[in-house]
Amino acid sequence: MILELDFKSSLPVYVQLRNEIVRGIGSGELAFGEQLPTVRSLAADLGVNAMTVSKAYQLLDSQGYIRTDRRRGTAVCARGEMPDFLENPQSRKELVLLAREAALGGYSREEFLKLCSDAYTELT
Amino acid sequence: MILELDFKSSLPVYVQLRNEIVRGIGSGELAFGEQLPTVRSLAADLGVNAMTVSKAYQLLDSQGYIRTDRRRGTAVCARGEMPDFLENPQSRKELVLLAREAALGGYSREEFLKLCSDAYTELT
Amino acid sequence: MILELDFKSSLPVYVQLRNEIVRGIGSGELAFGEQLPTVRSLAADLGVNAMTVSKAYQLLDSQGYIRTDRRRGTAVCARGEMPDFLENPQSRKELVLLAREAALGGYSREEFLKLCSDAYTELT
Amino acid sequence: MILELDFKSSLPVYVQLRNEIVRGIGSGELAFGEQLPTVRSLAADLGVNAMTVSKAYQLLDSQGYIRTDRRRGTAVCARGEMPDFLENPQSRKELVLLAREAALGGYSREEFLKLCSDAYTELT
DNA sequence: GTGGTCTAGACCACC
DNA sequence: GTGGTCTAGACCACG
């Protein structure tokens, strides 16, 4: 799968990498249970520091998206093991903030829900 | 209005402050056109440095949420002058990512849209 | 003549006022030798502090565009008494900087001179 | 390259620094894609605070002249990525004002265009 | 080692 | 009195 990183973004690279991998899992580009490349090989492919990839993996691991095994390396968790979206209040706060910005921008509830529905479907 | 800041968060304080103020405008706690406290008084209230508040104000100004008038100080913009939520692709990407996380967490489209609708109404 | 001021601009109001008056003289809306309104009346018209108008008048006076007489009030100088554009190095530096920005923006010398020529003619 | 700063000027130091760097890029003293010194080293060289240099860099970044890459630090953008000079109406207004001042100073259109041409070539 | 953030305190331009 | 600017110094996130 293709991972897009923007090195001039204010968002840390390891967070972008984490996001890209979650997107990949959600879109099916990364299958449940699929083996992920090693830290070093992915770092070499992306042209980033190995520590950056390592931090992204650790973040995904701590959130329950992937699992690291000493012997078998790193792999995407099974479908039933994915973390609950509302487990961390962070996500909810982000959603509320986005809804606020949309409402202030003149979007009605229906228009906003249309955007949300599109986002749910989107296979980008 | 009550502004909640988390000094242990990795999110910069001035960004949190910006978010809180946008939320306040959206929820009606801050009225359109309402005068905002001066940089120094708000800084004193929150127990942060004046420059931190100043950065938040400048950010909000650059995004079109508030306006600082040489004569009258800083005030919330009028309802019709609020920025368009989708003008920066950042928001859309965040929404897509949240939708992905929800889907992976087992939420159906309907359940996710329910959450979005609640967020729009602000049932936090 | 109509003086346009932008109170949310970063440019100080008294500088904007000075610029507007110079523009007025250049465009003929203010005739050479014409009497200017008093500080107080202009301040009232524009809705600004009298001190702001006073500073603008002082600036114009120091630069040689207008002349203040105790008895006759303030008036535009005669045509032959206007200050030399290159007398202060500030103007030249600004022009060079604008030329640089234009060149970097991809404008050829001819295109830039076209803009300069238009600016010279412009009766806005 | 030599950066000239006037600490007695009313123009903020970080704006002067921004202007000097744009001039440097325009004159070729700073090559397209060239690496810029770090915030701290430049601050030390100039005898100013690091935050002042940081603000200048951020300003240049927001205007599209330079780009700060998480991995490689700060560098001048490529030739084709320079911002369009006329995208902000500010520049045009400045040019019109300069033209007015020149006209009032007795410069004919031809004389003014000669000055503009010299400025384009940088015969400072 | 790099830039980003924050503080405390000071000065100044502007209104 | 207001915001904008600047300083010196500290800490932290990032790579």
Side-chain angles (χ1 to χ4, degrees):
Chain A
M1 101 172 255
I2 297 170
L3 298 166
E4 288 187 8
L5 298 179
D6 178 7
F7 295 104
K8 45 192 203 311
S9 163
S10 66
L11 211 60
V13 174
Y14 82 94
V15 175
Q16 292 183 54
L17 188 49
R18 175 266 178 203
N19 290 346
E20 285 291 296
I21 290 177
V22 170
R23 292 244 307 270
I25 301 173
S27 71
E29 293 172 88
L30 287 172
F32 295 106
E34 180 176 337
Q35 195 73 8
L36 289 174
T38 66
V39 167
R40 297 196 173 186
S41 72
L42 183 52
D45 281 2
L46 297 173
V48 301
N49 194 303
M51 216 174 144
T52 304
V53 176
S54 179
K55 278 181 92 165
Y57 276 12
Q58 283 175 30
L59 187 56
L60 287 161
D61 192 308
S62 76
Q63 294 177 335
Y65 285 106
I66 68 176
R67 181 171 299 168
T68 296
D69 184 294
R70 261 273 169 51
R71 295 169 299 177
R72 281 177 290 176
T74 307
V76 178
C77 285
R79 165 172 256 118
E81 297 168 335
M82 288 288 137
D84 184 344
F85 163 65
L86 289 186
E87 170 172 289
N88 69 334
Q90 185 71 15
S91 299
R92 174 148 192 91
K93 286 193 68 173
E94 278 181 41
L95 191 54
V96 170
L97 185 58
L98 285 173
R100 281 275 170 276
E101 293 177 355
L104 287 174
Y107 290 79
S108 69
R109 177 191 301 274
E110 287 68 33
E111 289 167 332
F112 177 61
L113 290 182
K114 178 68 168 57
L115 290 172
C116 294
S117 184
D118 287 354
Y120 192 89
T121 309
E122 190 116 7
L123 300 180
T124 308
Chain B
M1 94 171 264
I2 298 171
L3 298 167
E4 290 187 7
L5 298 180
D6 176 9
F7 295 101
K8 307 182 303 297
S9 164
S10 67
L11 211 60
V13 174
Y14 78 90
V15 175
Q16 292 181 54
L17 187 49
R18 175 266 178 203
N19 290 345
E20 286 293 297
I21 291 176
V22 170
R23 293 243 310 267
I25 301 172
S27 71
E29 293 172 89
L30 288 172
F32 296 104
E34 180 176 339
Q35 195 73 9
L36 288 174
T38 68
V39 168
R40 282 170 172 73
S41 72
L42 183 51
D45 282 0
L46 296 173
V48 300
N49 190 280
M51 274 191 78
T52 303
V53 176
S54 182
K55 274 183 94 167
Y57 276 13
Q58 284 177 25
L59 185 56
L60 286 161
D61 191 310
S62 75
Q63 295 178 336
Y65 285 106
I66 69 176
R67 183 170 295 176
T68 149
D69 184 310
R70 268 265 167 39
R71 301 168 301 177
R72 285 173 285 179
T74 307
V76 178
C77 284
R79 165 172 256 117
E81 298 168 336
M82 290 288 141
D84 184 346
F85 151 73
L86 287 187
E87 98 187 345
N88 70 334
Q90 184 71 14
S91 301
R92 176 154 190 85
K93 286 193 68 171
E94 279 183 40
L95 195 53
V96 170
L97 185 59
L98 286 172
R100 279 290 148 68
E101 294 177 355
L104 287 175
Y107 290 79
S108 69
R109 176 191 302 272
E110 287 68 33
E111 289 167 331
F112 176 61
L113 290 182
K114 178 68 167 55
L115 290 173
C116 293
S117 184
D118 287 355
Y120 192 91
T121 316
E122 176 99 22
L123 299 177
T124 309
Chain C
M1 98 171 259
I2 297 170
L3 298 167
E4 288 188 8
L5 299 179
D6 177 8
F7 295 104
K8 46 191 203 309
S9 162
S10 66
L11 211 60
V13 174
Y14 81 95
V15 175
Q16 292 182 54
L17 187 49
R18 175 264 178 204
N19 290 345
E20 285 292 297
I21 291 176
V22 169
R23 293 244 307 268
I25 301 173
S27 71
E29 292 172 89
L30 288 172
F32 295 105
E34 180 177 337
Q35 196 74 7
L36 289 173
T38 67
V39 167
R40 297 197 172 187
S41 72
L42 184 51
D45 282 1
L46 297 173
V48 300
N49 195 300
M51 217 176 143
T52 303
V53 176
S54 179
K55 277 182 93 165
Y57 277 12
Q58 283 174 31
L59 186 56
L60 286 160
D61 192 310
S62 75
Q63 293 177 336
Y65 285 105
I66 68 178
R67 180 171 300 171
T68 296
D69 185 295
R70 260 274 172 47
R71 296 168 299 177
R72 283 176 289 175
T74 307
V76 178
C77 285
R79 165 173 256 117
E81 297 169 335
M82 289 288 139
D84 184 344
F85 163 65
L86 289 186
E87 167 172 291
N88 68 334
Q90 186 71 14
S91 300
R92 172 144 194 94
K93 285 192 68 172
E94 279 181 40
L95 191 54
V96 169
L97 185 58
L98 285 173
R100 281 276 170 274
E101 293 178 353
L104 287 174
Y107 291 78
S108 69
R109 176 191 302 272
E110 287 68 33
E111 289 167 333
F112 176 62
L113 291 182
K114 177 69 167 56
L115 290 173
C116 294
S117 183
D118 287 354
Y120 192 91
T121 309
E122 191 117 4
L123 298 180
T124 309
Chain D
M1 94 171 265
I2 297 170
L3 299 167
E4 289 187 8
L5 299 179
D6 176 9
F7 296 101
K8 309 182 303 298
S9 165
S10 67
L11 210 59
V13 174
Y14 78 89
V15 175
Q16 293 182 52
L17 188 48
R18 176 265 178 204
N19 290 345
E20 285 292 296
I21 290 177
V22 169
R23 292 244 311 267
I25 300 173
S27 72
E29 293 172 88
L30 288 172
F32 295 105
E34 181 176 338
Q35 195 73 9
L36 289 174
T38 68
V39 168
R40 283 169 171 74
S41 72
L42 183 52
D45 283 0
L46 297 173
V48 300
N49 189 281
M51 276 191 76
T52 304
V53 176
S54 181
K55 273 184 95 167
Y57 276 14
Q58 284 177 26
L59 185 56
L60 286 160
D61 192 311
S62 75
Q63 294 178 336
Y65 285 106
I66 69 178
R67 180 170 296 177
T68 148
D69 184 311
R70 271 263 165 44
R71 300 168 300 177
R72 284 175 285 177
T74 308
V76 178
C77 284
R79 164 173 257 117
E81 297 167 336
M82 289 289 139
D84 185 346
F85 151 73
L86 287 187
E87 99 186 343
N88 70 334
Q90 184 71 13
S91 301
R92 176 153 189 86
K93 286 193 67 170
E94 279 182 41
L95 193 54
V96 170
L97 184 59
L98 286 173
R100 278 290 147 67
E101 293 177 355
L104 287 175
Y107 290 80
S108 70
R109 175 190 300 272
E110 287 67 34
E111 289 166 332
F112 176 61
L113 290 182
K114 178 67 168 56
L115 290 173
C116 295
S117 184
D118 287 355
Y120 192 91
T121 316
E122 176 99 23
L123 298 177
T124 310

